[in-house]
Amino acid sequence: MDMLLERKPLIRWKLRELMARKRVSIRKLAELTGMHRNSINHLRDFDVLPQVGAETLEKLCRALQCTPSDLIEYIPEPEEEQI
């Protein structure tokens, strides 16, 4: 089996968690960012980092009053942790 298929994602997307913690609905986040509700819904459903441009990331950070590190988490592989 291919090793790339077995490994877990190293970068996790946490928009769903952040929206829940701040109690922000898709509709409200769409209003705050000026983005379409379908776009917010699509981004919320990712568990791994989607291809997000700087402008979109900035809009999300402004609306949620957070930093990119609140939305993105790096998870090192076990052998990387020992270095």
Side-chain angles (χ1 to χ4, degrees):
M1 187 175 241
D2 187 20
M3 292 297 288
L4 291 177
L5 295 176
E6 292 179 21
R7 76 176 241 225
K8 293 181 181 180
L10 296 179
I11 301 179
R12 194 166 68 88
W13 181 241
K14 303 187 308 182
L15 180 60
R16 182 184 315 116
E17 293 172 28
L18 193 56
M19 287 175 66
R21 192 171 40 228
K22 293 187 176 261
R23 298 176 191 248
V24 176
S25 68
I26 291 171
R27 185 175 138 257
K28 182 65 177 176
L29 189 54
E31 289 173 10
L32 291 170
T33 61
M35 296 169 63
H36 195 277
R37 288 169 48 180
N38 290 345
S39 297
I40 300 293
N41 189 44
H42 182 71
L43 287 173
R44 187 193 65 167
D45 288 342
F46 279 96
D47 289 326
V48 296
L49 181 64
Q51 290 187 349
V52 177
E55 183 179 342
T56 298
L57 190 56
E58 184 178 337
K59 286 179 182 181
L60 292 171
C61 288
R62 283 179 189 261
L64 294 168
Q65 298 178 347
C66 68
T67 66
S69 63
D70 294 320
L71 289 166
I72 301 166
E73 178 182 15
Y74 174 71
I75 304 169
E77 291 187 25
E79 60 271 7
E80 287 183 53
E81 293 175 3
Q82 298 174 1
I83 297 175

